[in-house]
Amino acid sequence: MPSTSSHQSDHSDLIFFVNGKKVIERHADPEVTLLFYLRKVLCLTGTKYGCGTGGCGACTVMISKYNPVTKKIRHYSATACLVPLCSVHGVAVTTVEGIGSIKTRIHPVQERLAKCHGTQCGFCSPGMVMSIYTLLRNYPDPTTEQLMETLSGNLCRCTGYRPIVESGKTFCEESTVCQLQGTGQCCMDQEENQFYLDKKEKMCTKLYDESEFQPFDPSQEPIFPPELIRMAEDPQKKTLIFYGERVLWMSPANMNELLELRMKYPTAPLVVGNTGVGLNVKLKGEFHPIIVSAAGLTELNFVDFTDDGVTIGAGCTLAEMKDILSHAVSKESKEKTKTYRALLKHLRTLAGQQIRNMATLGGHVASKFDFSDINPILAAGKAILNLISKKGERQILVEELFTTPPKEELRDGEVIYSVVIPQLLKWDIITAQRQAQRLENAFAIVNAGMRVQFREGTNTIKDLKMFFGRVGPTTVSASKTCEQLIGRQWNDEMLSAACRLVLDEIRIPPTAVGGMVEYKRTLIISFIFKFYLRVLRELHKLDPRMYPDIPETSISALEEFPIKTPQGIQMFQCVDPHQPPQDPVGHPVMHQSGLKHATGEAVYNDDIPRVEGELLLAVVTSTRAHAKILSIDVSEALESPGVVDVITVKDVPGENNPEGEIFYAENEVICVGQIVCAVAADTYAHAKQGAEKVKVIYEDVEPRIITIEDAIKYNSYFFKEKKIEKGNVDKAFKHVDEIIEGEFHVEGQEHFYMETQTILVYPTGEDKEMVIYTGTQYPTHVQDFIAAALDVPRNRIMCHMKRTGGAFGGKVIKPAVLGAVAAVAAHKTGHPIRFLLEREDDMLITAGRHPLLTKYKIGFMKNGLIKAVDLQYYTNAGCTPDESETVINFIVLKSENAYDIPNFRCRGRACKTNLPSNTAFRGFGFPQGALAVENYITAVAFKCGLPPEKVRDMNMYKTVNKTAYKEPFNPEPLLKCWKECLEKSSFQSRKTAIERFNKINDWKKKGIAIIPMKFTIGVPIAYKSQAASLVHIYQDGSVLVTHGGCELGQGLYTKMIQIASRELKIPSSYIHLSETSTTTVPNASFTTASMGTDINGRAVQNACRILLTRLEPIIRKNPKGKWEDWISQAYKESISLSATGYFRGYQTYMDWEKEEGNPYPYFVYGVACSEVEIDCLTGAHKLLRTDIFMDAAFSINPAIDMGQIEGGFIQGMGLYTTEELKYSPEGVLYSRGSEDYKIPTVSQIPEEFYVTFVRSRNPIAIYSSKGLGEAGMFMGASVFFAITDAVAAARRGRGLTEPFTLNSPSTPEMIRMSCVDQFTEQIPRDDPSTFKPWSIHVS
């Protein structure tokens, strides 16, 4: 490439607008993204870093571009993390700061998102706002379908999406928000739905008041900058050239210049949307010294309709292509738009909206991605590529790119100019099919485009094309199969031959990258079967007398699961009408930071401005699971540009492995992803480049223990076995009718908090002090570990925690370890250190939920009554202790769930393996352990031929009782939830309807399940639930509250303000809560186990009552005075206006030797009922309805608690369905980002979602409330068992009556392969002993 330094004279100025202000960048670097520039150069930190690969939507901005040919302005949402800075020349960028601010005026989108309670941690909120805002700029009165589509590329880990959708629906033309304007009534109150109201006590359904919303006026939006219009229409445009440190970027001014550059630099990638090249640079480490961009060429952005089809310019985005084809479908007959409709089917679910807005048709085709959903259809539909180069023009068929070997490839210097999509003939039939881990925003597991042409008036095949994606290195043509089928009639014999031939032609090796080999083989022929049925239907339409229709029982096989806008209701207790109006307790108060979340003004750690001398840290992690470190060569890294130093274990002045955790690897590594050393540099790019140059030589050590079975084999465990037992289990097994034994697996889960781990360390320069800013659930632990690493007293370490973008347990222990790594770097270099983990590093290093293996033996009577249970739990703890002892304790102690088993034994072991250490995660093991319990309940029901709900009911605790570890409790709230859920979900009538549905549908099945829960909050160690607070009243009457709890998005700060407001009898507006800090509240407990409000609320209450007691004499003297007057007088009388509050903690304990105790302060009960529909041919499922009845006692803030239940439910549903972590046999985690780890999206939440808070009393907790942060998680199990029910129906339909086990997660692969049929039987299967699989399960 030409030297970047020798051509600086022709370096172009990059000109664009951001939020209406002109930006001129004279030194644009091609390696810099728009996200980096916005955040680090323009200091617009509202746009967040979430994944770096365009998959989460946290960095969504609106880009506006003027087309000088059409004279139109196009507004579109884009993920700034994939947008190269150099590509924004001549465009207007709008960020969340540009549409509204609490300092000036908030935009209606921001206001409604916050007031509808659509923010929790708030990290995803700016992206959500910008997606909805962009929709409104294009469609001021959007449909709900458009709203769902626009949110398809935005992920949220906290809310469960329902309130986000609800906020967007307030702008829609057919708004279906349940609460009626200004009435507080609900659609559920009407006629047949009246049963939802509890007659004994008034229930409310209104979480916000729409009448408070400011109106939305589209005419008030900012205009497009006129200067950009003049720039776009300038006839003297020049090629733009940008030189970076390593890369040259060229943007030609016209088509001719583009072709010249393509001839000159044939290997340089041609970039428009950067969704392909950018992803490969990020994930595969690709490096391109020269990049040619065609982003500004209007010649490539056009559409031309003819009588024979449509020609679409290669520069058109997939979103524009969708609009073009949708317009054609609305105007033309069905016969003429067959291919268009096939393409539209995939264009709706391909990636997310932002990626569709950026990716171009030409780039998509030219890249020949194996995952392309478009290429198989274009190839099957006889689409033509118009190619152009300096040598001339030519045409090729798209399919010629994918024959074996390819008949045609793009030649050097050639560019795809346009794509011709022809209309098909009357007797042509084309279909498109895909199956992914989730419905949208996910790469297909397999996709297909198939077309058949018949001899006119017959069912004889004249031409046949079948193309498949994700079964080879690129789209694969089944050309040999098709050739052999030409001339045959379209009948069952042809179908059998097609399946046989295609399996012989498309051979997926058992070691194929991506795994799921047998599933992919099954999908190929399942798709062929669906194609076969579709064609039969079309033949029937063409000639009903000649060709009969397919059986009615097969029709549902052709029906796609629709994406519907979710609807439902949330019911909670109404506030006592006699409660003082300024008392906010019990009201659905908006999150304290809600508006700041929505405007992007809430400050997270990486939003804190850079300070002078600050260095960025990048870590070198182990590539081996278990190995000696023979040498670490850092010489080349130290010579790398910008690198200041490399930090290793030798630089740790104090302790390197407190409590069994390890900061820097010493002599050996014990997992892939362990931190070996860290590189500190002036920029993160330089630090990362330096880290890549560190050379570590390893020598593998045996054994390498990856799975639980490996650990059992090598007797590799942490801690002693934990056990509880009641009754005489062994004796009971001798007196039962039936005994079943088995194993059940629950795989792990990634936290996928939206804000990755971020630590800022500032050495003060004196007394060895360090100031730490981090997102943690346990500031005390961060302080402890850093003090230990630096060998200083803890009073020299000041840890600050304002908020974090989600945590879910993943920020209990890990920030302390990472904080120590950063602090050692700060100590050695003397510089402030900023340490932010990229998503792939975060997932690799910090691990997640413990995988669980359960071995069970169950003794029961024929009527379903369970007499004896023997459980053995094994968790995969990883390589260090972390929170694994707490997790196995919780699993064992909560192993009964809701069931009263007279003879019960449960044992648990934490397995020590060579994986990154798994850690705390919402529910602390209960979601895994209780799923195993419900699995054996289901197995017993299956064996007895009884409905699972009947077996659950007969074995449930019914009276005041004691747990297996002898803690007393009253199951009355559980029974109330169970009864109400059965009745108000219409369980029995829906089950009957499902049975009818399943009888008349062969290939779609529905299932329903109702699952009870007996959950606990808190921890079994009393001192870990102590809490303190510090409350100041200032002379003007304002109040500052500080406590030891951390704001993670769960609304803790909001509830603390509500509590202080009630206790001090002043409005919430007087009260402020800024941050949590070890300098104000020392020795604080962790914010986990659903006890944040319980313990910190008691501490705040205590401080407020102390202050109010001090003020009582003043108030008695002047009872009609104002708060401000009382405070002023108190100050004058030298009364202290500051108080420390304290809560000793719940006096819990557990004696493991005696196997008894009172380990938890109280129980939380709940019941969930879910109904699903599965596609037996693909394994896809659709969640139709969920009803949750949760024992909330008295909710301090129903909006926040409702959000916790709904968000927990969706997170639990993800654990049990789509969230799948994949590891290599060598212990390498493959699933490291949003592109290959699939948390639920907006389209996966229930179509109908009903949540009801059931009242009970809980005198032990503040205001008789209950901790609900984790309780919703296990409710997602109702989806898992509804899927199990549907699979069982499918198996019964095939005559399979033997018991089966569906392990977790019940992915599409698991569902499809459990629905055994002629297609699963037909595929070839490989002997497992003859190959090493690409991935393994580690449970």
Side-chain angles (χ1 to χ4, degrees):
M1 90 172 249
S3 168
T4 57
S5 59
S6 62
H7 288 74
Q8 294 299 313
S9 59
D10 57 355
H11 193 294
S12 306
D13 287 346
L14 182 72
I15 301 172
F16 62 109
F17 277 68
V18 176
N19 298 332
K21 295 180 180 179
K22 185 177 180 179
V23 177
I24 302 176
E25 176 54 56
R26 304 193 188 282
H27 305 285
D29 188 337
E31 292 188 88
V32 168
T33 64
L34 176 61
L35 175 62
F36 179 90
Y37 194 83
L38 292 172
R39 290 183 56 80
K40 301 303 180 183
V41 179
L42 300 183
C43 299
L44 296 170
T45 55
T47 308
K48 305 300 182 191
Y49 167 85
C51 68
T53 55
C56 76
C59 64
T60 300
V61 297
M62 184 179 82
I63 294 180
S64 304
K65 187 181 292 187
Y66 176 76
N67 187 319
V69 177
T70 63
K71 309 293 184 186
K72 291 181 180 179
I73 297 164
R74 177 180 173 236
H75 305 290
Y76 62 94
S77 58
T79 47
C81 67
L82 284 182
V83 176
L85 176 65
C86 295
S87 71
V88 299
H89 184 81
V91 309
V93 177
T94 305
T95 72
V96 70
E97 294 93 340
I99 71 168
S101 165
I102 55 175
K103 299 185 185 75
T104 53
R105 177 180 177 273
I106 60 172
H107 191 278
V109 174
Q110 297 167 324
E111 177 197 36
R112 297 185 195 187
L113 183 69
K115 289 184 176 178
C116 289
H117 313 290
T119 81
Q120 285 187 25
C121 83
F123 203 78
C124 74
S125 301
M128 295 287 181
V129 164
M130 291 313 298
S131 285
I132 298 173
Y133 175 77
T134 307
L135 172 67
L136 296 178
R137 288 300 301 267
N138 290 309
Y139 304 97
D141 296 301
T143 64
T144 53
E145 289 78 11
Q146 288 172 321
L147 173 66
M148 292 293 285
E149 185 172 0
T150 206
L151 292 175
S152 64
N154 291 81
L155 299 181
C156 175
R157 195 53 156 163
C158 298
T159 66
Y161 297 103
R162 193 270 313 160
I164 297 171
V165 174
E166 206 154 283
S167 75
K169 280 161 67 173
T170 64
F171 296 99
C172 293
E173 57 187 10
E174 71 273 22
S175 178
T176 51
V177 174
C178 189
Q179 288 77 13
L180 302 177
Q181 177 76 31
T183 68
Q185 293 180 327
C186 161
C187 61
M188 295 301 294
D189 298 348
Q190 312 300 317
E191 298 172 3
E192 73 273 10
N193 292 320
Q194 249 173 356
F195 58 71
Y196 244 92
L197 289 178
D198 191 319
K199 304 299 182 186
K200 294 179 183 176
E201 60 185 27
K202 191 173 180 195
M203 299 292 283
C204 286
T205 61
K206 192 180 180 200
L207 290 168
Y208 57 89
D209 186 354
E210 281 189 83
S211 65
E212 293 181 1
F213 297 163
Q214 59 177 308
F216 170 57
D217 183 355
S219 67
Q220 298 304 302
E221 301 301 339
I223 64 167
F224 186 77
E227 182 176 344
L228 295 182
I229 296 177
R230 292 193 294 271
M231 284 174 58
E233 294 182 338
D234 182 3
Q236 304 299 318
K237 282 188 215 168
K238 294 182 179 178
T239 292
L240 301 173
I241 300 176
F242 303 109
Y243 295 94
E245 195 173 278
R246 305 189 303 163
V247 176
L248 168 65
W249 176 288
M250 291 177 282
S251 295
N254 53 54
M255 197 67 194
N256 189 53
E257 289 185 13
L258 171 64
L259 298 179
E260 288 180 358
L261 289 173
R262 289 294 288 163
M263 286 296 290
K264 190 173 182 181
Y265 306 109
T267 60
L270 181 60
V271 168
V272 179
N274 198 46
T275 56
V277 172
L279 208 59
N280 289 340
V281 167
K282 173 77 175 174
L283 298 179
K284 298 180 180 179
E286 288 184 4
F287 175 70
H288 303 286
I290 300 176
I291 295 174
V292 178
S293 171
L297 295 182
T298 56
E299 296 99 316
L300 291 174
N301 197 307
F302 68 93
V303 59
D304 183 20
F305 287 101
T306 67
D307 292 340
D308 300 322
V310 60
T311 301
I312 301 176
C316 287
T317 66
L318 298 182
E320 289 173 316
M321 178 185 181
K322 181 174 176 290
D323 291 340
I324 291 164
L325 297 179
S326 297
H327 175 77
V329 166
S330 68
K331 298 293 183 183
E332 299 280 353
S333 66
K334 278 191 172 183
E335 184 177 310
K336 292 184 176 181
T337 57
K338 295 173 185 176
T339 307
Y340 306 169
R341 282 182 280 117
L343 287 164
L344 284 170
K345 178 183 163 187
H346 284 183
L347 284 168
R348 169 59 183 89
T349 55
L350 183 154
Q353 182 66 41
Q354 297 91 324
I355 298 299
R356 294 193 293 268
N357 288 334
M358 299 160 65
T360 61
L361 173 58
H364 199 78
V365 173
S367 299
K368 297 174 62 175
F369 296 124
D370 67 321
F371 56 77
S372 169
D373 290 334
I374 301 302
N375 285 346
I377 309 168
L378 291 175
K382 300 190 289 189
I384 299 166
L385 298 183
N386 287 321
L387 306 177
I388 187 171
S389 69
K390 291 297 288 182
K391 297 178 181 178
E393 300 178 16
R394 68 186 184 106
Q395 288 187 329
I396 63 170
L397 289 168
V398 172
E399 71 170 277
E400 292 179 306
L401 296 174
F402 307 118
T403 52
T404 307
K407 293 180 183 175
E408 288 287 353
E409 290 277 15
L410 296 187
R411 300 167 186 167
D412 285 352
E414 276 190 331
V415 173
I416 299 176
Y417 182 69
S418 61
V419 179
V420 181
I421 306 172
Q423 292 179 0
L424 298 182
L425 301 174
K426 179 180 179 180
W427 290 85
D428 268 326
I429 300 166
I430 189 169
T431 67
Q433 298 177 67
R434 76 187 297 270
Q435 181 57 46
Q437 191 79 346
R438 65 185 179 207
L439 181 59
E440 59 185 353
N441 198 9
F443 291 138
I445 297 167
V446 175
N447 56 36
M450 305 184 210
R451 177 184 59 83
V452 63
Q453 182 184 8
F454 293 106
R455 293 176 188 165
E456 192 158 343
T458 73
N459 70 343
T460 302
I461 300 171
K462 181 180 179 182
D463 188 28
L464 180 64
K465 300 291 182 184
M466 294 193 292
F467 294 87
F468 298 91
R470 294 306 298 273
V471 296
T474 186
T475 299
V476 173
S477 169
S479 53
K480 294 178 182 176
T481 299
C482 294
E483 287 170 10
Q484 293 186 62
L485 295 175
I486 289 174
R488 299 185 66 157
Q489 291 188 323
W490 197 263
N491 52 30
D492 289 353
E493 289 76 16
M494 184 283 304
L495 171 65
S496 297
C499 292
R500 186 184 69 255
L501 290 168
V502 81
L503 287 172
D504 190 52
E505 181 175 4
I506 301 178
R507 292 185 173 272
I508 308 173
T511 57
V513 172
M516 300 185 283
V517 172
E518 291 182 358
Y519 177 43
K520 288 186 175 186
R521 292 167 179 166
T522 304
L523 279 179
I524 289 172
I525 56 175
S526 296
F527 283 169
I528 290 175
F529 177 61
K530 284 193 171 221
F531 178 48
Y532 172 71
L533 292 177
R534 173 66 67 192
V535 172
L536 286 179
R537 288 218 88 186
E538 295 301 321
L539 285 171
H540 174 68
K541 291 176 185 177
L542 287 167
D543 192 341
R545 289 177 298 178
M546 180 72 73
Y547 306 110
D549 201 354
I550 63 175
E552 281 193 28
T553 55
S554 295
I555 290 173
S556 63
L558 302 177
E559 295 168 356
E560 302 292 331
F561 288 137
I563 298 176
K564 292 185 179 179
T565 310
Q567 300 190 41
I569 178 175
Q570 302 75 46
M571 299 190 73
F572 54 95
Q573 85 279 342
C574 297
V575 173
D576 187 333
H578 303 295
Q579 182 171 309
Q582 86 273 9
D583 181 355
V585 171
H587 288 280
V589 177
M590 179 178 67
H591 194 290
Q592 172 229 20
S593 296
L595 289 173
K596 288 183 286 186
H597 291 157
T599 61
E601 290 165 283
V603 177
Y604 299 82
N605 284 305
D606 194 44
D607 299 340
I608 296 172
R610 186 171 183 174
V611 299
E612 187 68 30
E614 181 180 290
L615 299 179
L616 284 296
L617 208 63
V619 291
V620 177
T621 56
S622 166
T623 58
R624 307 290 181 87
H626 194 193
K628 289 180 182 178
I629 298 175
L630 299 181
S631 66
I632 303 174
D633 182 357
V634 302
S635 57
E636 194 177 340
L638 288 170
E639 294 173 3
S640 188
V643 170
V644 174
D645 213 336
V646 178
I647 301 91
T648 69
V649 66
K650 296 175 183 177
D651 301 308
V652 180
E655 196 174 349
N656 187 56
N657 59 340
E659 300 176 22
E661 303 306 313
I662 302 170
F663 302 147
Y664 290 91
E666 184 174 10
N667 300 324
E668 70 167 358
V669 291
I670 52 175
C671 72
V672 174
Q674 184 177 357
I675 294 173
V676 175
C677 61
V679 176
D682 58 348
T683 68
Y684 180 69
H686 284 154
K688 194 173 180 181
Q689 289 162 19
E692 290 168 356
K693 294 176 181 177
V694 173
K695 294 181 174 63
V696 184
I697 298 176
Y698 301 100
E699 182 182 282
D700 286 333
V701 174
E702 294 296 335
R704 182 176 61 206
I705 300 171
I706 306 301
T707 68
I708 289 175
E709 292 294 350
D710 292 342
I712 294 171
K713 176 182 176 182
Y714 290 103
N715 198 33
S716 178
Y717 302 107
F718 289 114
F719 330 117
K720 292 180 180 179
E721 180 180 78
K722 299 301 169 72
K723 174 176 165 289
I724 57 172
E725 185 169 359
K726 73 173 180 180
N728 190 325
V729 176
D730 296 328
K731 182 179 178 181
F733 277 123
K734 298 175 183 177
H735 301 282
V736 295
D737 294 338
E738 298 269 4
I739 293 176
I740 56 173
E741 296 184 67
E743 290 186 357
F744 183 68
H745 297 259
V746 183
E747 294 301 316
Q749 184 181 26
E750 161 61 28
H751 298 94
F752 214 92
Y753 30 69
M754 294 303 292
E755 181 191 20
T756 58
Q757 303 272 0
T758 308
I759 297 100
L760 278 64
V761 181
Y762 301 112
T764 67
E766 56 180 321
D767 299 325
K768 298 182 180 180
E769 290 180 343
M770 283 204 181
V771 179
I772 319 296
Y773 291 89
T774 184
T776 178
Q777 297 172 253
Y778 201 180
T780 300
H781 200 52
V782 176
Q783 180 188 44
D784 294 353
F785 268 28
I786 292 177
L790 301 183
D791 194 22
V792 299
R794 293 177 185 176
N795 63 3
R796 309 301 167 87
I797 309 300
M798 290 146 280
C799 182
H800 299 267
M801 160 56 185
K802 191 176 186 72
R803 64 171 59 86
T804 191
F808 316 113
K811 294 177 180 176
V812 178
I813 300 296
K814 303 303 183 183
V817 175
L818 298 169
V821 169
V824 170
H827 170 79
K828 183 182 183 186
T829 63
H831 288 264
I833 293 291
R834 185 177 299 252
F835 183 24
L836 180 148
L837 289 184
E838 293 188 283
R839 177 64 64 182
E840 53 268 31
D841 288 334
D842 193 297
M843 291 183 70
L844 175 67
I845 294 168
T846 67
R849 187 180 295 280
H850 290 66
L852 180 73
L853 166 63
T854 306
K855 298 186 177 184
Y856 60 85
K857 181 179 180 182
I858 316 297
F860 55 96
M861 311 308 288
K862 290 180 180 177
N863 67 353
L865 192 65
I866 299 172
K867 294 291 189 178
V869 168
D870 191 1
L871 297 177
Q872 177 73 64
Y873 286 122
Y874 299 92
T875 63
N876 193 323
C879 60
T880 65
D882 201 280
E883 288 281 3
S884 295
E885 185 168 22
T886 304
V887 169
I888 199 65
N889 289 350
F890 277 40
I891 289 175
V892 171
L893 290 172
K894 302 183 185 189
S895 56
E896 298 176 308
N897 192 19
Y899 304 108
D900 183 10
I901 312 298
N903 304 284
F904 182 86
R905 178 165 58 220
C906 178
R907 292 163 291 175
R909 297 302 305 261
C911 296
K912 182 180 181 181
T913 65
N914 295 119
L915 290 179
S917 286
N918 287 305
T919 188
F921 202 138
R922 199 176 201 168
F924 270 102
F926 178 78
Q928 303 100 292
L931 193 77
V933 173
E934 297 301 331
N935 176 73
Y936 76 66
I937 294 285
T938 303
V940 168
F942 198 97
K943 191 74 174 176
C944 294
L946 294 170
E949 63 275 8
K950 184 174 181 179
V951 176
R952 290 189 168 95
D953 186 86
M954 75 170 67
N955 288 288
M956 208 179 295
Y957 277 106
K958 294 293 199 311
T959 59
V960 175
N961 214 316
K962 289 184 178 181
T963 65
Y965 48 87
K966 300 180 179 61
E967 180 167 12
F969 72 100
N970 185 350
E972 183 184 342
L974 169 66
L975 300 175
K976 187 177 181 183
C977 290
W978 178 258
K979 181 174 179 290
E980 291 200 16
C981 191
L982 277 170
E983 291 176 1
K984 296 177 181 178
S985 69
S986 305
F987 180 84
Q988 290 301 336
S989 61
R990 286 166 59 201
K991 185 164 185 175
T992 302
I994 286 169
E995 289 169 356
R996 286 198 301 268
F997 176 91
N998 289 342
K999 282 180 182 177
I1000 60 173
N1001 289 279
D1002 289 341
W1003 303 106
K1004 289 273 177 63
K1005 299 293 179 183
K1006 289 184 179 180
I1008 191 169
I1010 183 168
I1011 303 294
M1013 176 189 71
K1014 174 170 67 73
F1015 187 66
T1016 58
I1017 80 110
V1019 292
I1021 303 168
Y1023 70 82
K1024 288 193 174 182
S1025 62
Q1026 64 181 299
S1029 70
L1030 183 62
V1031 178
H1032 301 315
I1033 306 175
Y1034 295 93
Q1035 291 183 60
D1036 63 353
S1038 62
V1039 176
L1040 178 65
V1041 175
T1042 311
H1043 56 85
C1046 298
E1047 177 55 60
L1048 317 168
Q1050 84 282 40
L1052 178 62
Y1053 283 13
T1054 310
K1055 287 185 176 181
M1056 295 304 102
I1057 290 171
Q1058 289 177 274
I1059 290 168
S1061 174
R1062 167 175 278 192
E1063 295 298 330
L1064 296 174
K1065 300 180 175 62
I1066 57 175
S1068 298
S1069 58
Y1070 283 51
I1071 303 165
H1072 181 60
L1073 212 162
S1074 176
E1075 68 167 8
T1076 299
S1077 167
T1078 57
T1079 61
T1080 52
V1081 178
N1083 310 315
S1085 301
F1086 41 40
T1087 305
T1088 60
S1090 303
M1091 64 183 186
T1093 297
D1094 283 47
I1095 65 174
N1096 293 291
R1098 285 290 197 194
V1100 169
Q1101 181 186 52
N1102 178 238
C1104 291
R1105 288 182 175 180
I1106 290 169
L1107 288 166
L1108 210 57
T1109 301
R1110 294 176 189 168
L1111 292 170
E1112 278 176 2
I1114 304 289
I1115 297 170
R1116 277 199 301 269
K1117 292 177 187 176
N1118 182 16
K1120 294 186 179 179
K1122 292 181 179 179
W1123 170 259
E1124 290 86 347
D1125 299 333
W1126 298 334
I1127 299 307
S1128 178
Q1129 187 60 34
Y1131 179 74
K1132 291 173 183 176
E1133 294 186 20
S1134 299
I1135 294 172
S1136 172
L1137 295 173
S1138 178
T1140 297
Y1142 184 69
F1143 176 60
R1144 185 168 176 239
Y1146 293 122
Q1147 298 310 295
T1148 54
Y1149 71 95
M1150 181 64 199
D1151 187 329
W1152 285 102
E1153 295 299 319
K1154 295 181 179 179
E1155 299 180 19
E1156 63 180 56
N1158 284 306
Y1160 303 108
Y1162 60 83
F1163 294 84
V1164 178
Y1165 306 96
V1167 177
C1169 172
S1170 289
E1171 179 183 348
V1172 303
E1173 184 176 343
I1174 65 169
D1175 185 330
C1176 303
L1177 288 166
T1178 63
H1181 81 271
K1182 180 68 175 172
L1183 179 52
L1184 303 175
R1185 175 174 169 174
T1186 292
D1187 298 74
I1188 297 175
F1189 287 77
M1190 185 61 65
D1191 160 39
F1194 174 82
S1195 173
I1196 292 173
N1197 187 324
I1200 282 174
D1201 287 340
M1202 195 68 68
Q1204 289 295 290
I1205 297 302
E1206 292 178 342
F1209 168 80
I1210 296 300
Q1211 194 173 63
M1213 181 189 75
L1215 163 66
Y1216 301 131
T1217 57
T1218 61
E1219 297 185 38
E1220 186 175 23
L1221 289 166
K1222 296 198 172 183
Y1223 295 85
S1224 77
E1226 294 76 29
V1228 178
L1229 176 66
Y1230 291 133
S1231 316
R1232 297 192 198 176
S1234 60
E1235 64 284 346
D1236 46 25
Y1237 184 77
K1238 297 304 175 184
I1239 72 171
T1241 62
V1242 68
S1243 64
Q1244 289 172 268
I1245 70 175
E1247 291 180 359
E1248 296 179 70
F1249 201 2
Y1250 306 113
V1251 182
T1252 301
F1253 283 172
V1254 178
R1255 286 295 296 269
S1256 65
R1257 290 193 54 75
N1258 186 33
I1260 193 172
I1262 187 167
Y1263 306 147
S1264 191
S1265 64
K1266 287 195 173 184
L1268 300 176
E1270 298 167 288
M1273 187 89 194
F1274 181 63
M1275 298 288 84
S1278 60
V1279 179
F1280 178 88
F1281 288 104
I1283 290 171
T1284 303
D1285 187 47
V1287 171
R1291 293 171 66 90
R1292 284 194 301 271
R1294 313 286 184 267
L1296 301 172
T1297 56
E1298 73 277 7
F1300 73 100
T1301 298
L1302 198 66
N1303 289 315
S1304 176
S1306 57
T1307 59
E1309 176 185 18
M1310 185 76 70
I1311 295 169
R1312 177 63 187 98
M1313 300 312 289
S1314 298
C1315 293
V1316 177
D1317 56 28
Q1318 63 266 40
F1319 304 112
T1320 58
E1321 296 293 330
Q1322 187 174 351
I1323 62 165
R1325 295 176 187 266
D1326 303 287
D1327 181 352
S1329 65
T1330 62
F1331 66 94
K1332 184 166 68 174
W1334 179 77
S1335 70
I1336 59 170
H1337 290 136
V1338 297
S1339 66

